[in-house]
Amino acid sequence: MNDWPEGWSDDNRGPRYGRGSAGAQPESARVMRQVRRGPAVPPGPRSAYGEPGPAAPPHQAGVPRQPSYVDGRGHDDSAGYNTGQVYGTSGGGAGTPGTPGRAPRPAPDWRRRIKWTAITLAAVVVVTSVSTYFWADSKLRREVDLSKVIDRPEGGDGTNYLIVGSDSREGMSKEDEKKLHTGGAEGKRTDSMMILHVGDNGDTLISLPRDSDVVVPSYEGSTSGKVYPAQGRHAKLNATYAEDGPTLLVRAIEANTGLHIDHYVEIGFQGFAGIVDAVGGVEIDIDKGFKDKWSGADFEAGKQTLDGQQALAFVRTRHAFAASDLQRTKNQQKFLAALAHQVATPSTILNPFKLYPTMGAGLDSLIVDKDMSLWDLASMFWAMKGVSGGDGTSMNMPISGSVGGNLLWDKAKVKTLVDELNNDEKVTVSGN
């Protein structure tokens, strides 16, 4: 039985090309439906014999009609297939007819960006500053109660700070004591005492020699609360600190000068050396070289940068000088002014890797009065920086002589000095 349609047979199809065919040429394009010449065959289902069936439904909206292949070229130039267009997108110009192209990207609003960047930076600065303030404030050791000082003179204009350098070995190991040449004595004494007056007519830094002769006044015991009456006895100024600590020292200074002390600041050996090391050392110009086996000092003349150990030896040395304690107070003033200047430089303040270690070393070792605020402390350091820059006066308490190893103050000059400080006037008195 022949399976081919009527009039068709394997024999009358003509020569064929390919396997099993005797033809040398491919079949005619006439029988290749996809490249048929002539009018395009409408799409739609076909019968089993390739005849066109019902027409396909209309194409959906938004989907272009597929082009027919005509003229044997395999494409219709009018359909735009040679552009490589991807439907639903626009690029390089016009898109599909009826489809709008993408809008151009708007230019960046730099004014808006700058505004929000500035707001963000300001917020970071505020948060950091507030956090630093509370961190630093929490580290202050407010251990001195000046309310226990009795019979105090009236306060004058400006602010008076009593700055004390003690020989406290708190927190030091035996190795530290040996390295810093501090010895291992128990208790606390003071090697340096200074009054810093901060006012509108220039700041004044006055050193009080530790061997100054003072009359021990009546005072209230810092721990017992008992009032000890005055007995007219004389002592060296640093002995009052050893007897009953900061409150008796303040009481003795006020009673012998008539100057009201507003704030108290104390720093020990370890803290002093730690601040110097944290700031990276302090540059100072030494006029004349000196050595001292007691403090460990060994310096040549000229500019040099001192580390914490060297700085402590510099401010403690007195046996190497003919003027002894008077020369030591001058060296202490000189170094503290240089230290304050170094701490206040932009290289320290703007560098958190130096600022925070410096603040930490200083605040951990400072002992202050209960009413001291960070603003008061900052005012003190800026005033010391000003003194070092020539905006103030540095001097020793005026001395008139000595008796029994004690240095006697010049009472007339001291009175003039105190009057000028209380009235916040420019100091005209000179010290030794």
Side-chain angles (χ1 to χ4, degrees):
M1 180 177 178
N2 188 355
D3 293 331
W4 293 94
E6 183 178 358
W8 284 34
S9 70
D10 196 42
D11 295 331
N12 65 3
R13 295 180 63 206
R16 298 173 62 196
Y17 177 75
R19 189 177 61 180
S21 171
Q25 296 296 328
E27 291 184 72
S28 168
R30 179 177 56 82
V31 299
M32 297 176 66
R33 185 174 62 232
Q34 66 273 28
V35 293
R36 183 180 303 274
R37 300 179 184 274
V41 179
R46 299 176 185 274
S47 68
Y49 303 103
E51 296 299 328
H59 65 278
Q60 296 180 357
V63 180
R65 183 185 301 277
Q66 302 299 312
S68 61
Y69 293 86
V70 296
D71 299 332
R73 294 179 297 171
H75 67 275
D76 182 357
D77 288 343
S78 65
Y81 272 73
N82 60 336
T83 64
Q85 176 179 317
V86 178
Y87 296 115
T89 65
S90 63
T96 303
T99 303
R102 179 180 296 173
R105 188 173 184 177
D109 188 345
W110 289 108
R111 182 173 299 178
R112 181 182 178 87
R113 291 186 180 184
I114 292 173
K115 182 185 77 170
W116 282 108
T117 299
I119 291 174
T120 301
L121 290 176
V124 170
V125 170
V126 170
V127 171
T128 301
S129 300
V130 171
S131 300
T132 299
Y133 178 87
F134 283 106
W135 167 76
D137 188 72
S138 68
K139 294 178 76 67
L140 273 180
R141 299 170 58 184
R142 297 181 173 92
E143 300 176 4
V144 178
D145 188 358
L146 295 182
S147 67
K148 292 184 177 181
V149 180
I150 62 175
D151 300 331
R152 308 192 69 184
E154 292 292 329
D157 297 330
T159 304
N160 299 315
Y161 297 85
L162 177 60
I163 305 170
V164 173
S166 76
D167 65 358
S168 171
R169 294 155 180 83
E170 180 182 1
M172 295 176 63
S173 64
K174 293 296 181 182
E175 183 179 349
D176 291 332
E177 292 175 358
K178 182 177 180 181
K179 175 183 176 181
L180 298 176
H181 297 270
T182 63
E186 297 295 330
K188 292 198 303 183
R189 284 153 295 278
T190 175
D191 282 337
S192 61
M193 293 158 284
M194 303 178 187
I195 295 174
L196 175 65
H197 174 81
V198 179
D200 296 330
N201 290 300
D203 305 320
T204 306
L205 185 62
I206 308 163
S207 286
L208 310 175
R210 53 168 272 173
D211 294 337
S212 297
D213 185 85
V214 295
V215 177
V216 180
S218 61
Y219 67 95
E220 179 182 322
S222 58
T223 56
S224 65
K226 179 181 177 181
V227 175
Y228 297 88
Q231 299 176 345
R233 61 188 176 96
H234 288 247
K236 291 182 179 180
L237 183 58
N238 70 331
T240 62
Y241 178 91
E243 182 174 332
D244 199 53
T247 54
L248 179 53
L249 177 62
V250 171
R251 168 72 175 130
I253 292 173
E254 290 186 341
N256 283 269
T257 63
L259 185 68
H260 182 88
I261 300 299
D262 298 293
H263 292 294
Y264 178 91
V265 181
E266 178 184 322
I267 188 169
F269 284 161
Q270 185 83 335
F272 179 80
I275 293 175
V276 175
D277 286 334
V279 82
V282 175
E283 184 180 73
I284 194 167
D285 190 358
I286 299 178
D287 299 328
K288 184 178 180 181
F290 60 89
K291 293 183 179 182
D292 180 22
K293 67 177 183 178
W294 301 101
S295 65
D298 186 2
F299 299 107
E300 296 180 354
K303 285 187 177 181
Q304 50 205 286
T305 299
L306 308 186
D307 61 20
Q309 177 182 346
Q310 295 169 323
L312 188 58
F314 181 80
V315 299
R316 293 183 62 225
T317 297
R318 66 181 178 124
H319 296 287
F321 310 122
S324 187
D325 202 40
L326 292 177
Q327 181 59 46
R328 174 166 67 175
T329 57
K330 292 179 181 179
N331 286 345
Q332 290 170 348
Q333 288 182 350
K334 183 175 184 178
F335 186 85
L336 288 179
L339 175 60
H341 180 77
Q342 178 67 27
V343 170
T345 57
S347 62
T348 298
I349 294 177
L350 301 180
N351 183 353
F353 297 103
K354 291 181 74 172
L355 176 63
Y356 285 99
T358 301
M359 291 180 63
L363 295 172
D364 281 339
S365 56
L366 287 180
I367 296 175
V368 300
D369 65 272
K370 293 183 179 296
D371 295 326
M372 175 76 81
S373 70
L374 282 179
W375 298 116
D376 294 324
L377 196 60
S379 175
M380 184 191 80
F381 275 107
W382 281 107
M384 293 188 70
K385 179 181 180 294
V387 170
S388 70
D391 293 334
T393 302
S394 296
M395 58 181 292
N396 277 325
M397 186 65 82
I399 303 296
S400 61
S402 63
V403 57
N406 291 2
L407 297 175
L408 301 175
W409 292 349
D410 188 319
K411 293 183 179 180
K413 288 186 176 182
V414 168
K415 185 180 184 308
T416 301
L417 173 63
V418 170
D419 287 342
E420 290 174 342
L421 295 178
N422 278 333
N423 295 320
D424 196 20
E425 298 172 349
K426 186 172 179 61
V427 172
T428 60
V429 177
S430 61
N432 300 72

